[in-house]
Amino acid sequence: MSGISFKGVTKRFGGRDGEVLAIDRVDLEIADKEFVAICGPSGCGKTTLMRMAAGLDFPSEGTVAVGGKAVRGPGPDRAVVFQQFALLPWKTVKENIGFGLKCRGVPAAEREREVMRYVELMGLTGHENAYPHQLSGGMQQRVAIARSSVLQPDVLLMDEPFGALDAQTRVVMQEELIHLARRNPRTVLFITHSVEEAVYLADRVVVMSRRPGRIQETIDIGATRRAENWEAQAIEDVMDRDSFIHFRTRIWKLLRHRDEAAAAAQRPARRA
Amino acid sequence: MTRRPGIAETAALTAAGFAFFFAVWWGVAASGWLPRAVLPTPSDVATTFMALIRDPFAGYTFQQHLAASIGRYLMGFALAAAIGVPLGLLMGWFRILDDVVSPLFEAVRFIAPLAWVPFAALWFGTGIGGPIMIIFSGAFPPCVVSAYRGAKLVDQRLIEAAQTHGAGSLRVIAEVLVPGSLPSIISGLRVSAGLGWQSLVGAELIVVSAGVGYLMVQGQSNLATAIVMCGMIGIGAVGFAIDVALRFVERRIKAQWSPA
Ligand SMILES: Nc1ncnc2c1ncn2[C@@H]1O[C@H](COP(=O)(O)OP(=O)(O)OP(=O)(O)O)[C@@H](O)[C@H]1O
Ligand SMILES: [Mg+2]
């Protein structure tokens, strides 16, 4: 059982000019094997939230637990796909993808097999011996995704994993992720700026408000997805559905509305 | 920045520099302004040099003295690198070690290698141990500092990526910190190699068998300034060769290492 639980989580960062309140009393329960997407404006604390689940940052108040245990540090049960890839520049594509398996002590032959499977799956064939700096941004991102996925972790934390991909590759990866998630369900915390991507992929979409980051609303997509069997359809067909458009518009409005409200609230505040 | 001169131009300027140096030396020495015993002419030194190569002085020929020095130097330098680099990396990774060792190290590293001579002789003897310890004390600090700085400057995100994919401390050090700080370590080793070689004369002040420093000490006590100069030239030439070789290695490694 590997759900993620944020309870009353507040995160402040100390800086030169005082403290930054990045996350303000967030409560979020992600069930085991649930796929949750987080949407919100830049700087609202999405990455911070994910880093606390990964054990790379710790809450100032409240608790973050994975599988019922408070998070004390990073662990191989929670693999992270970073917003900036963070591939090891001195390792080849193959070595980067196989890194986690090597840490786990998987024998070389088995590692090679698994790595090559993901090389193929991610469309990296022919580049397996290249170094990261020889790859395009999109390819680097696919290596980063493969590096985490190959571990089959209980929890997958993904920070805008498709941000650097072109539109076509992005669609392919989204469909691939849905298939992977169906074949091999696991708990996923997925951060994205793309409302469509969130609606297409997630069981639940969490919409966050501008700093200080709070959860504005949580939208349940899973029931509709299952009822209409989205997973059996091509992404463009799903995107044409009324239900999809309805969700998308709703989330857009939440993001927009909040921005305007925040802007309005800020104008008089600046005088004070 | 100013225009970069071509290779031929650089070589010509270098040659001009040396020519000027020797001309001044020759002029001053030949003028009789200083006695020959105080400042020998370049030709005196060359003659002495040929003699030193042919006939043993202070027990050995010049080449044998130089070989003894280089052997001693390599041992001291290797020891400094073998202890200093890992220590620096560990200090860069483990906060506790950093807090315990860094202040101590910062104070000790300002003690010049020569200052260790009495203790080196007392603790490790004048055979192999003492001189090696003095070379070590010269070569050690840049090894530690460069590995430490390198480890501290490794991209935090790479460390986190390794950790979230299951790497423990040892693996992070071996697979992230070491390669990540390699350019810094290489620069540090170059500095260290130079300082170790510079400490050599000091190290050999207490040597009683062979070595360029020993040769110079013997030359000095015989008032044979030309012999002392031969030793100086030998040290300068070898030091220069070490630096050129390591610069070359450093450039090669850095070119291969830095991602485009
Ligand atoms: N280490 C840090 N020190 C100080 N402030 C920080 C730190 N990390 C994040 N912040 C601040 O916390 C807030 C949230 O940052 P975070 O990176 O979580 O945003 P985000 O929602 O992921 O943004 P984006 O969509 O641009 O990636 C920002 O205002 C940021 O400046
Ligand atoms: Mg972010």
Side-chain angles (χ1 to χ4, degrees):
Chain A
M1 291 291 111
S2 297
I4 309 173
S5 146
F6 296 89
K7 281 207 177 77
V9 171
T10 292
K11 177 68 183 178
R12 280 182 289 266
F13 286 107
R16 258 163 310 178
D17 27 60
E19 286 194 328
V20 175
L21 182 59
I23 301 279
D24 189 21
R25 284 163 297 163
V26 162
D27 289 295
L28 176 62
E29 294 291 328
I30 301 174
D32 186 43
K33 307 215 187 321
E34 189 182 18
F35 195 128
V36 168
I38 299 185
C39 269
S42 184
C44 72
K46 305 180 295 293
T47 298
T48 305
L49 217 51
M50 189 206 72
R51 287 175 58 84
M52 288 191 284
L56 297 170
D57 272 330
F58 297 93
S60 310
E61 283 159 36
T63 54
V64 179
V66 171
K69 281 203 289 281
V71 174
R72 297 197 181 286
D77 57 321
R78 288 156 283 139
V80 182
V81 180
F82 289 90
Q83 198 168 1
Q84 307 94 342
F85 326 142
L87 300 174
L88 298 175
W90 39 82
K91 289 189 184 292
T92 62
V93 166
K94 243 161 69 170
E95 289 165 344
N96 265 292
I97 299 177
F99 183 78
L101 295 175
K102 194 165 148 200
C103 292
R104 244 182 223 174
V106 175
E110 192 186 332
R111 206 161 68 212
E112 169 82 15
R113 218 169 34 241
E114 277 297 287
V115 167
M116 287 316 287
R117 203 161 69 81
Y118 274 86
V119 163
E120 211 168 294
L121 203 64
M122 294 288 155
L124 291 163
T125 312
H127 299 281
E128 56 267 31
N129 292 316
Y131 287 89
H133 69 91
Q134 298 169 315
L135 305 177
S136 71
M139 288 158 91
Q140 293 184 30
Q141 201 155 44
R142 279 179 274 156
V143 176
I145 296 167
R147 174 174 68 176
S148 300
S149 310
V150 74
L151 288 173
Q152 315 253 12
D154 299 336
V155 177
L156 196 48
L157 304 166
M158 306 177 97
D159 196 354
E160 294 183 38
F162 302 152
L165 304 182
D166 60 79
Q168 294 97 303
T169 317
R170 195 169 175 137
V171 167
V172 172
M173 296 299 293
Q174 287 165 347
E175 287 181 329
E176 198 52 59
L177 192 61
I178 280 286
H179 292 152
L180 273 175
R182 189 175 42 182
R183 245 183 291 148
N184 235 327
R186 70 185 82 253
T187 313
V188 181
L189 181 59
F190 188 97
I191 295 171
T192 178
H193 273 129
S194 157
V195 174
E196 268 117 7
E197 185 169 273
V199 175
Y200 176 68
L201 291 172
D203 296 316
R204 256 193 311 156
V205 178
V206 172
V207 180
M208 288 182 72
S209 62
R210 203 169 278 284
R211 218 172 83 199
R214 296 196 184 106
I215 291 183
Q216 198 181 340
E217 203 160 324
T218 305
I219 292 135
D220 204 320
I221 315 261
T224 311
R225 165 202 312 290
R226 281 185 293 277
E228 300 184 359
N229 197 14
W230 286 6
E231 273 142 43
Q233 303 164 42
I235 189 164
E236 54 273 22
D237 296 334
V238 175
M239 284 183 175
D240 258 351
R241 302 190 74 93
D242 288 343
S243 52
F244 186 96
I245 294 168
H246 164 77
F247 283 129
R248 191 185 64 190
T249 310
R250 196 161 143 219
I251 294 168
W252 263 119
K253 277 189 178 151
L254 279 169
L255 291 168
R256 271 290 288 279
H257 169 74
R258 190 61 191 207
D259 264 16
E260 276 155 19
Q266 232 167 26
R267 258 171 255 131
R270 213 171 276 150
R271 302 187 163 264
Chain B
M1 244 181 85
T2 48
R3 187 179 59 93
R4 256 180 93 181
I7 286 180
E9 217 173 317
T10 306
L13 289 170
T14 306
F18 273 103
F20 179 72
F21 170 77
F22 279 107
V24 170
W25 175 11
W26 207 306
V28 173
S31 71
W33 188 43
L34 289 167
R36 280 262 170 122
V38 176
L39 182 67
T41 63
S43 70
D44 289 343
V45 174
T47 317
T48 310
F49 188 68
M50 298 314 288
L52 285 176
I53 287 178
R54 230 177 17 247
D55 311 314
F57 176 80
Y60 300 96
T61 60
F62 187 81
Q63 306 87 292
Q64 286 168 323
H65 282 298
L66 200 59
S69 290
I70 290 176
R72 214 171 263 132
Y73 161 74
L74 287 179
M75 281 193 269
F77 173 55
L79 197 65
I83 298 176
V85 170
L87 177 65
L89 288 172
L90 292 173
M91 279 163 62
W93 181 244
F94 293 109
R95 268 293 300 278
I96 297 182
L97 198 64
D98 191 1
D99 293 344
V100 171
V101 180
S102 289
L104 194 66
F105 174 77
E106 286 300 322
V108 171
R109 82 187 172 99
F110 286 106
I111 301 171
L114 263 180
W116 289 105
V117 165
F119 287 111
L122 284 173
W123 296 342
F124 299 99
T126 57
I128 294 184
I132 287 181
M133 187 205 147
I134 292 163
I135 295 165
F136 175 89
S137 70
F140 185 64
C143 293
V144 178
V145 172
S146 65
Y148 174 76
R149 297 232 170 102
K152 284 282 186 196
L153 288 180
V154 168
D155 188 346
Q156 187 64 26
R157 289 172 299 190
L158 299 183
I159 295 173
E160 291 179 347
Q163 287 178 321
T164 54
H165 290 88
S169 279
L170 276 183
R171 194 176 288 279
V172 171
I173 291 173
E175 304 213 34
V176 184
L177 290 193
V178 169
S181 51
L182 200 64
S184 168
I185 292 176
I186 298 290
S187 304
L189 286 179
R190 187 167 65 74
V191 174
S192 157
L195 288 178
W197 186 248
Q198 276 180 36
S199 319
L200 183 80
V201 179
E204 292 183 339
L205 289 178
I206 59 169
V207 170
V208 286
S209 53
V212 179
Y214 175 67
L215 174 87
M216 288 163 70
V217 172
Q218 295 303 309
Q220 188 197 8
S221 54
N222 292 339
L223 294 176
T225 43
I227 292 182
V228 177
M229 281 212 173
C230 286
M232 287 164 68
I233 290 169
I235 286 174
V238 173
F240 183 63
I242 292 173
D243 198 62
V244 167
L246 287 179
R247 257 177 218 282
F248 176 74
V249 172
E250 182 181 359
R251 230 186 0 252
R252 285 285 299 271
I253 290 182
K254 282 193 176 165
Q256 219 172 37
W257 212 238
S258 54

